[in-house]
Amino acid sequence: QLQLRESGPGVVKASQTLSLTCTVSGGSVSSGGYFWSWIRQHPGKGLEWLGYIYYTETAYYNPSLKSRVTISLDTSRNQFSLRLTSVTAADTAVYYCASGFPGVEYFQDWGQGTLVTVSS
Amino acid sequence: QSALTQPASVSGSPGQSITISCTGSSSDIGSYNLVSWYQRHPGKAPKLILYGDTQRPSGVSRRFSGSKSAYTASLTISGLQAEDEAEYYCCSYAGSATVVFGGGTKLTVL
């Protein structure tokens, strides 16, 4: 079982870029067989998948956010990251990182989540 | 890509069974045997309880079961316990390397 932990600023100003990092332990982000994902939950709402990246560094994104989202791997630090540009109040949410398995498409391990508030 | 549809809330008494539905479309639930379900207690991370429509991960109680018909997947919890009170989310592969979640269902154990 993997352990994942999100880190990053809790407040981001509107129009700026939200950047979060997920540190993985118990496994390697460069090993095959996993994808690494970001998922968020707006206050009082359901979960929203943002995207995932394979160990090959190929990334796939939610079409509704594709133009603003980038997910990347840092194999030297065993981390993966989220960048969300041009944020607005609508991007205020709890952001989770999670790992899963391509082909079966489920999320096995999750971080605890981190609240990001977009301020004006 | 539209969110899957779940009832906002369901409730049941201890020992009873409840079912939570998750309705999608021909683009997601109807095309793939890749529905997963997650349980989330307040302040905690979601926990995988079912995958592949009906499969239980190791360590998940047999009281949790899944089924699917056409565009609707269902989660059934039998022998309700107080600890089952939580939010439940369905998720489906939606093709082209995308995934879609449901809006979540709050389960209250009376």
Side-chain angles (χ1 to χ4, degrees), chain A:
Chain A
Q1 191 171 2
L2 303 175
Q3 291 78 49
L4 295 86
R5 187 181 76 250
E6 306 88 353
S7 59
V11 179
V12 179
K13 288 192 174 181
S15 80
Q16 295 192 344
T17 296
L18 180 160
S19 295
L20 295 174
T21 296
C22 183
T23 301
V24 178
S25 55
S28 171
V29 299
S30 58
S31 65
Y34 289 103
F35 60 62
W36 309 97
S37 187
W38 288 96
I39 295 157
R40 71 181 179 180
Q41 184 166 28
H42 296 103
K45 300 289 182 64
L47 297 170
E48 180 181 29
W49 174 74
L50 302 182
Y52 52 47
I53 188 168
Y54 293 168
Y55 73 100
T56 56
E57 303 202 48
T58 302
Y60 299 91
Y61 302 113
N62 185 323
S64 67
L65 294 165
K66 188 173 183 178
S67 63
R68 298 198 294 129
V69 176
T70 303
I71 298 175
S72 58
L73 292 181
D74 184 341
T75 56
S76 64
R77 299 185 179 186
N78 212 34
Q79 297 174 334
F80 63 103
S81 298
L82 170 73
R83 278 173 46 92
L84 182 65
T85 61
S86 305
V87 297
T88 69
D91 295 307
T92 293
V94 174
Y95 286 77
Y96 295 97
C97 59
S99 63
F101 303 98
V104 288
E105 308 298 322
Y106 62 82
F107 303 94
Q108 173 75 58
D109 297 301
W110 297 66
Q112 286 296 307
T114 186
L115 174 63
V116 179
T117 301
V118 178
S119 69
S120 55

Side-chain angles (χ1 to χ4, degrees), chain B residues 22-102:
Chain B
C22 170
T23 301
S25 69
S26 59
S27 299
D28 38 63
I29 292 177
S31 289
Y32 308 97
N33 297 324
L34 293 173
V35 174
S36 53
W37 289 87
Y38 302 86
Q39 176 193 62
R40 196 179 76 85
H41 287 106
K44 297 290 185 84
K47 173 188 174 184
L48 175 71
I49 55 173
L50 291 173
Y51 66 94
D53 293 354
T54 62
Q55 305 302 302
R56 268 189 316 275
S58 174
V60 172
S61 171
R62 289 184 176 184
R63 298 186 299 105
F64 294 90
S65 62
S67 63
K68 191 175 77 175
S69 177
Y71 305 154
T72 298
S74 298
L75 166 68
T76 297
I77 308 174
S78 59
L80 265 183
Q81 299 178 0
E83 67 203 47
D84 299 331
E85 185 162 296
E87 293 175 346
Y88 292 84
Y89 295 88
C90 61
C91 176
S92 176
Y93 182 66
S96 302
T98 65
V99 165
V100 62
F101 280 94

